[in-house]
Amino acid sequence: QKTGINAEYGGSGAGFYVNATEEPWKTNYRMYSYVTGELPKLIQSNFNVNISKSAISGHSMGGHGALIAALKNPGKYKCVSVYAPIANPSECPWGVKAFYWFSRRK
């Protein structure tokens, strides 16, 4: 599956906490890997934290990302909290627009 950048308008910002798969973004737009891997390691190396008690949260598009991160990594997070998440994007006007844009990408 090709993952572009910002599904909202086909723009240039990273969205949905995914790892981009297309040039020129795939090298640096690796938001899923950053949030689930690099960021926790960075926090643990700089702060006195117990990484086994991690939680993840997000709002809107970030809520969708938090849900996906938690579902793809069972047991990694003690808690997942989301606020107005885009939980069912195929059933809202914004999501329909995003999926339409993605389906037309080559």
Side-chain angles (χ1 to χ4, degrees), residues 3-88:
T3 304
I5 304 301
N6 196 335
E8 185 171 7
Y9 300 108
S12 61
F16 279 106
Y17 298 104
V18 296
N19 289 336
T21 59
E22 296 183 32
E23 295 291 350
W25 306 283
K26 72 179 188 178
T27 301
N28 296 313
Y29 286 90
R30 306 200 46 79
M31 300 306 156
Y32 175 81
S33 294
Y34 176 72
V35 169
T36 61
E38 186 179 341
L39 182 60
K41 289 176 186 172
L42 182 66
I43 291 170
Q44 188 175 21
S45 67
N46 287 283
F47 300 97
N48 184 21
V49 297
N50 182 344
I51 206 74
S52 70
K53 294 185 177 181
S54 295
I56 190 166
S57 66
H59 172 260
S60 192
M61 189 182 294
H64 180 272
L67 285 172
I68 295 304
L71 291 170
K72 282 185 161 184
N73 297 282
K76 181 174 182 129
Y77 304 103
K78 291 288 184 183
C79 175
V80 58
S81 299
V82 297
Y83 313 95
I86 300 172
N88 193 3

Side-chain angles (χ1 to χ4, degrees), residues 88-104:
N88 193 3
S90 65
E91 296 297 322
C92 69
W94 183 92
V96 170
K97 180 179 173 183
F99 285 130
Y100 176 83
W101 184 81
F102 271 130
S103 71
R104 290 346 177 234

